[in-house]
Amino acid sequence: MIYGIDVSHWNQDIDWKQVAASGVRFAYLKATEALSYADDTFLQNLRGARAAGILVGAYHFFRPAYDPILQADWFYKMAHEANDLPP
């Protein structure tokens, strides 16, 4: 079995070395929500997880009241910028 987690600002500060030591091998990180919200822990979590050797993916929290294309564009912009960051 391969273990993974889903994290966002609700998880507050994460000790990524401890997470890796517990057997977690991947994490999905909340990046965006709706049309303009960016999770304020996304970049911190991205850097921490990468430094601990954990594979990462990003997700968008979809809100049906808003245009889906604009939401996809917002997520793409944030995820693309984050992907260009050095580890």
Side-chain angles (χ1 to χ4, degrees):
M1 176 132 356
I2 300 173
Y3 294 99
I5 58 174
D6 163 0
V7 300
S8 72
H9 67 280
W10 295 109
N11 300 101
Q12 300 176 350
D13 290 331
I14 298 170
D15 182 339
W16 285 103
K17 288 181 182 181
Q18 182 179 2
V19 171
S22 75
V24 168
R25 297 294 169 246
F26 69 91
Y28 280 99
L29 316 174
K30 181 177 181 180
T32 56
E33 182 175 333
L35 298 177
S36 61
Y37 176 79
D39 190 297
D40 60 356
T41 63
F42 174 63
L43 295 178
Q44 174 184 334
N45 286 331
L46 179 66
R47 288 184 177 111
R50 283 180 175 171
I54 297 173
L55 299 173
V56 294
Y59 72 89
H60 173 80
F61 194 90
F62 180 78
R63 294 289 184 175
Y66 300 102
D67 183 299
I69 302 300
L70 293 177
Q71 289 187 72
D73 288 344
W74 171 236
F75 172 68
Y76 175 81
K77 178 181 184 264
M78 292 300 293
H80 183 72
E81 287 176 8
N83 195 45
D84 288 340
L85 293 174

